[in-house]
Amino acid sequence: MANRKSRSWHLTGFGIDHLILGEAPLAEPGNRELLVRVRAVSLNHRDKLILDGSLSPALSFPYTPASDAAGEVVSTGPGVRRFRTGDRVTAHAVTDWVDGEGPPLLHEKMLSAGLPGVLGEYLVVHEDAAVPAPKSLTDVEAATLPIAALTAWSALFETARVMPGETVLVQGTGGVALFALQFAAAAGLRPILTSSSDEKLARGRELGAWQVINYRTTPDWDEAALGMTGGGGVDYVLELAGGENLPKSVNALAVGGRLSLIGILAGVESPLPTVAITRKRIVLQGIAMGHRKAFERMNRAIEATSLRPVVDAIYPFEKAPGAFERLAKGPFGKVVISLA
Amino acid sequence: MANRKSRSWHLTGFGIDHLILGEAPLAEPGNRELLVRVRAVSLNHRDKLILDGSLSPALSFPYTPASDAAGEVVSTGPGVRRFRTGDRVTAHAVTDWVDGEGPPLLHEKMLSAGLPGVLGEYLVVHEDAAVPAPKSLTDVEAATLPIAALTAWSALFETARVMPGETVLVQGTGGVALFALQFAAAAGLRPILTSSSDEKLARGRELGAWQVINYRTTPDWDEAALGMTGGGGVDYVLELAGGENLPKSVNALAVGGRLSLIGILAGVESPLPTVAITRKRIVLQGIAMGHRKAFERMNRAIEATSLRPVVDAIYPFEKAPGAFERLAKGPFGKVVISLA
Amino acid sequence: MANRKSRSWHLTGFGIDHLILGEAPLAEPGNRELLVRVRAVSLNHRDKLILDGSLSPALSFPYTPASDAAGEVVSTGPGVRRFRTGDRVTAHAVTDWVDGEGPPLLHEKMLSAGLPGVLGEYLVVHEDAAVPAPKSLTDVEAATLPIAALTAWSALFETARVMPGETVLVQGTGGVALFALQFAAAAGLRPILTSSSDEKLARGRELGAWQVINYRTTPDWDEAALGMTGGGGVDYVLELAGGENLPKSVNALAVGGRLSLIGILAGVESPLPTVAITRKRIVLQGIAMGHRKAFERMNRAIEATSLRPVVDAIYPFEKAPGAFERLAKGPFGKVVISLA
Amino acid sequence: MANRKSRSWHLTGFGIDHLILGEAPLAEPGNRELLVRVRAVSLNHRDKLILDGSLSPALSFPYTPASDAAGEVVSTGPGVRRFRTGDRVTAHAVTDWVDGEGPPLLHEKMLSAGLPGVLGEYLVVHEDAAVPAPKSLTDVEAATLPIAALTAWSALFETARVMPGETVLVQGTGGVALFALQFAAAAGLRPILTSSSDEKLARGRELGAWQVINYRTTPDWDEAALGMTGGGGVDYVLELAGGENLPKSVNALAVGGRLSLIGILAGVESPLPTVAITRKRIVLQGIAMGHRKAFERMNRAIEATSLRPVVDAIYPFEKAPGAFERLAKGPFGKVVISLA
């Protein structure tokens, strides 16, 4: 394998015009590392923010984007015990977070942050940063999981510990939101979905939404949510918008309700309605992805419930820039780049 | 209502021959009490043990059996705030356990223990010991919930806090077991069902069992369960048999696995394999019904998942003794007495 | 007792000048109620806000202030089982919150909110709203517990579940803060205390503060707290100021840190630094007093650790207005009115 | 360092006569490994069982015993980030358990199990298997922590989550028991200590026992414990004896009580009183050491509470066999071998 090359996309500057397809010698897997033939890469909103320079203004170039990949182990370095050649794997973006408490984000051991991204033909990862891909999913589907699905799973099941019958308000139809909607429906919860698009809400109903609210036509969506729960309030909110949206989320919550605040989308600051927080004894928790153990538990749940990720569009590797353009337009579901 | 009478069944001694239909003046509901026109009563294994004298040898007669009833509020005493005339309710057998930590069982505030049973045309209960019947269930179905369903729910969701994708081993096809099977399936878990009857296992599959084991033809059912989980072990066991069964349950568990030990069926003593318990850091928890708040959460989940209790047979009120005889024969699902 | 009278203080309008000592016939304890001879009443910041009209502008007069009382049971109504004549008790201000999830505050079943206050010679309470006073405390000390101590206890031990060795940042030297400081020290934690007064900080050290910060002379107290923890951040913050203070509290927290937001002092709205909340996966929880079960657990801990509440000043019943004036001046410890 | 030698004790067969002092070339620390100059080694009951052949009959010789060591980092391999030369460290016996769920015991990555033991002048450990020694402890004291203290800490604070004021029954005066007693006292709990020796109980009182019971002179020690808690029962039992002791422990527990079953001392099987377990909803949890994160939290608590481990006797390295003999005689506190 020593003479083989690996092609990968990298940024030489901010903006889609600086996304270049290049080639480099294939690295050898080191101690306890895997060499993975990448089969699919999915994009996240975060990748768009990096591309346009708004998330990491001090990025050093060249930079390989994207953190979510699925593929096949083609060789293993010394000491590898968890995988064998031929295994289908998904990379875990926070490579050093195996279980328990995690590091603060964004940190040096995250793919496409301190570590290079995954948008190439081959990927070298430590075996502790890989999980078996769900048998029930295609490579394209498996590639959608590392950030969006794991964030939703960690919020719902690892921290908020939702239970069947609870009402869960999910905001919007981004990647995290759709996974949260599907997980909630599969676990016997009652998801309420909000969006500014009736068409997206209709598709959300097909994915299991119990109730839907168009927040454009119903600006007092919090009151609408209260009404849907007989005035009692929702048990849990997945807060994905932040800013002025947060006080409404708190208003929609039941006494003892919980709210997960999701990373990058939530803006820099929100007003916190402290009286309502204390009066109703609300628990608000910041969420930033999850650990590998949670990833494995999630994959098991995906297999058990036959959940299929929503894929908006698939682009061939050579047309990766098109995937970034699609991402910017507000897709319904994940945008994936295929290297099959 | 002062002159009306209420018929009820009562034991004048142990054994089915001493189950007598009698009549008494209708009581008035006192402070914060409800008068309920009973529409359906379901039986539990416990009722059989009381009837034949094996559970409470010192029972004082006459004794009205059964603890699980659903019906309609026909009048309310002073101070009632939670219900109105016409409401459909289910009685909560542990009448003074509203939330939080509970009293030890069997205790003086339990229906058909310290308090009279419910097998009559009318029932007076404190409003704090009633919950709204699920709208999605008939009276017959709602009457199956108070002990069997609430015990299963409390074990799975209030204490063990199972999550989607986990494997759950449910022992047998009694009342608690079938509810546990249905709840587990509705919540995205993977239930493994054991029974000595292939026919019952086939019906269990229809209710959502992921795998089934006939423990008669596969006495090493624990090893079979280990095999089904790739050698890793099941995440959770609902232990319903006790005795020599417990060490096998522990053997079937994964590292970090949990086991709920359910009340009355589990015998007086089991051997505890302490090495396996400590080596795998097993959590074993005794379960004895649940609180009213859990009952309400369960009903919400039943509505959200459209779960329908399995009813084995329905007997008219006048033929209640037939229901006890059916109960003794190992029904598949709940045996209910209807007063519709 | 039918002809006896009970004196009590009541407001006929807002302001200390409208606090009047009156007299009324002594009530009889009803079903499951206790008649308590009040021995001591303590004041909270909340009482000041009510007195001056800033908390409850629509208050109806006459209004008996104060919610925290200790005394002796002098007679019991029918059905009382938990107490006997002669028992020393403390009233639980949220009278209907026994265990588990609680009602939202301020609600109709709270003393000196929906129910009358306690600043009189006698008090009638339901037996479910009383707890035995700690044997290790005087009546004056026991009267300090219901709001300030229970809020601190619930925040630290019932919700945040702090453990020995953790660093706990406590803001200010109000009633809740001093109890939190004492509890934290008694439980093997490392309390960091903030105040604008070096003198109060010195007294805080005597009560067990591990480190102290004068936030007037050290406006970047959050950075100071980070420094005290070797840059890692504090494990837990008891947020008592709110407003612009909250972002600093979040900055002072460790990855995975927790913050309890305490009721009435925290202002109406705070800016929430969402990036830091998500990056460090902070848990923020609203706290509003606690349940009776927690009160009982707290009293047990007070006895076990020989903790003595800090009493700033004691006023005789006839000079109750002086206690309110003292309260307005920022006491160090609780202001108590004695009826001994 | 290449030519230096390291002396260490090893077994060439079972029994104290086969404990031999040998010498071998000093190993170099590999990738992310530390070379530690051992300053002190403490023994556990487990080491005695291994020595006499009762725990691991199939042990392969030569075998270096002991798992608990403290010392100083003298050199570091490539990639080490957590430590520097000169740091005082304690080894973590379960070398690959960093946080979250752990592996089953006894496993291949445990010191003196799958990995060599620590009873030598030098030790090579992965940096992830070391924790900074508490600054407040001597090397001899720090060496007592890895198994006994961490097991007690994990049982009390990481799993049972005890809180101040709770009653904790600690059985005996072995290594785990004494740490549990000291931790409980330092955290504001009420420890009840049992022993067959009045002299040891007297020393237990000095270490903070609230009550003591001589189970030889009071065979119904469970009833005695119930009496000490006013009949309510203890909140938590640290079960260290197992066998016929377990039913008594369960009898001594309060409704909702918890019991931690500790590893190796608990025998192979205990009778489990299932009726009491379910009636009182007891939680029984198997404990086998803890993770490194817990070790770090424990050390922080040791520093915060100025807790000093109880050291029974210190033997010089050359007289290590004497330490094993002392261990067999039932010391009060830890037996330590010093290499200072």
Side-chain angles (χ1 to χ4, degrees), chain B residues 103 105 267 270 272 274 279 281, chain D residues 103 105 267 270 272 274 279 281:
Chain B
L105 292 196
S270 285
L272 186 76
T274 51
R279 226 188 120 256
R281 302 182 189 88
Chain D
L105 293 196
S270 285
L272 185 76
T274 51
R279 227 189 118 253
R281 302 183 190 88

Side-chain angles (χ1 to χ4, degrees), chain A residues 163-166, chain B residues 82 90-94 96-102 128 130-132 134 145-161 183 287-303, chain C residues 99-101, chain D residues 281:
Chain A
M163 60 171 72
E166 288 195 312
Chain B
R82 301 182 64 238
T90 307
H92 178 216
V94 191
D96 60 347
W97 191 10
V98 173
D99 198 358
E101 286 185 23
D128 281 345
V131 299
L145 304 176
I147 288 194
L150 182 54
T151 299
W153 171 269
S154 296
L156 285 161
F157 300 105
E158 305 279 336
T159 58
R161 303 304 303 265
F183 283 135
I287 302 289
M289 292 175 255
H291 48 60
R292 196 194 77 204
K293 185 84 189 170
F295 202 152
E296 290 162 350
R297 286 197 278 253
M298 175 181 75
N299 284 354
R300 197 175 54 172
I302 286 171
E303 291 183 351
Chain C
D99 198 358
E101 287 186 22
Chain D
R281 302 183 190 88

Side-chain angles (χ1 to χ4, degrees), chain B residues 87-266:
Chain B
D87 285 352
R88 288 176 67 234
V89 296
T90 307
H92 178 216
V94 191
T95 62
D96 60 347
W97 191 10
V98 173
D99 198 358
E101 286 185 23
L105 292 196
L106 307 172
H107 82 315
E108 75 270 24
K109 291 286 189 179
M110 183 174 167
L111 295 176
S112 79
L115 300 175
V118 301
L119 190 51
E121 290 174 320
Y122 289 90
L123 173 64
V124 173
V125 286
H126 193 279
E127 67 167 337
D128 281 345
V131 299
K135 289 184 180 55
S136 56
L137 300 189
T138 64
D139 289 336
V140 160
E141 290 169 330
T144 67
L145 304 176
I147 288 194
L150 182 54
T151 299
W153 171 269
S154 296
L156 285 161
F157 300 105
E158 305 279 336
T159 58
R161 303 304 303 265
V162 293
M163 60 170 72
E166 288 195 312
T167 44
V168 171
L169 192 139
V170 175
Q171 299 177 342
T173 57
V176 176
L178 288 189
F179 275 112
L181 169 62
Q182 291 181 286
F183 283 135
L189 304 163
R190 284 184 155 159
I192 301 173
L193 186 68
T194 66
S195 170
S196 61
S197 154
D198 283 340
E199 190 217 326
K200 288 181 175 176
L201 290 172
R203 298 175 71 182
R205 276 198 187 275
E206 288 164 25
L207 292 170
W210 170 60
Q211 302 279 355
V212 300
I213 308 174
N214 186 322
Y215 62 78
R216 186 155 299 170
T217 55
T218 307
D220 292 343
W221 59 263
D222 48 339
E223 296 295 327
L226 284 167
M228 288 168 180
T229 56
V234 302
D235 299 298
Y236 175 70
V237 170
L238 196 71
E239 171 67 59
L240 288 153
E244 296 299 326
N245 198 60
L246 181 62
K248 291 196 170 191
S249 294
V250 171
N251 187 43
L253 279 168
V255 174
R258 295 147 289 157
L259 180 149
S260 292
L261 186 63
I262 304 297
I264 210 163
L265 301 172

Side-chain angles (χ1 to χ4, degrees), chain A residues 97 102-106 246 255 261-263 266-275 277-279 281-288, chain C residues 97 102-105 246 255 261-263 266-275 277-279 281-288:
Chain A
W97 189 10
L105 293 197
L106 305 174
L246 181 62
V255 174
L261 187 63
I262 305 295
V268 170
E269 198 173 280
S270 286
L272 185 76
T274 50
V275 171
I277 292 279
T278 53
R279 226 188 121 254
R281 302 184 189 88
I282 301 300
V283 179
L284 180 155
Q285 175 147 23
I287 302 289
Chain C
W97 191 10
L105 293 195
L246 181 62
V255 174
L261 186 62
I262 304 296
V268 169
E269 198 174 280
S270 285
L272 185 75
T274 51
V275 171
I277 292 279
T278 54
R279 226 187 120 257
R281 303 184 189 87
I282 301 300
V283 179
L284 180 156
Q285 175 147 22
I287 301 289

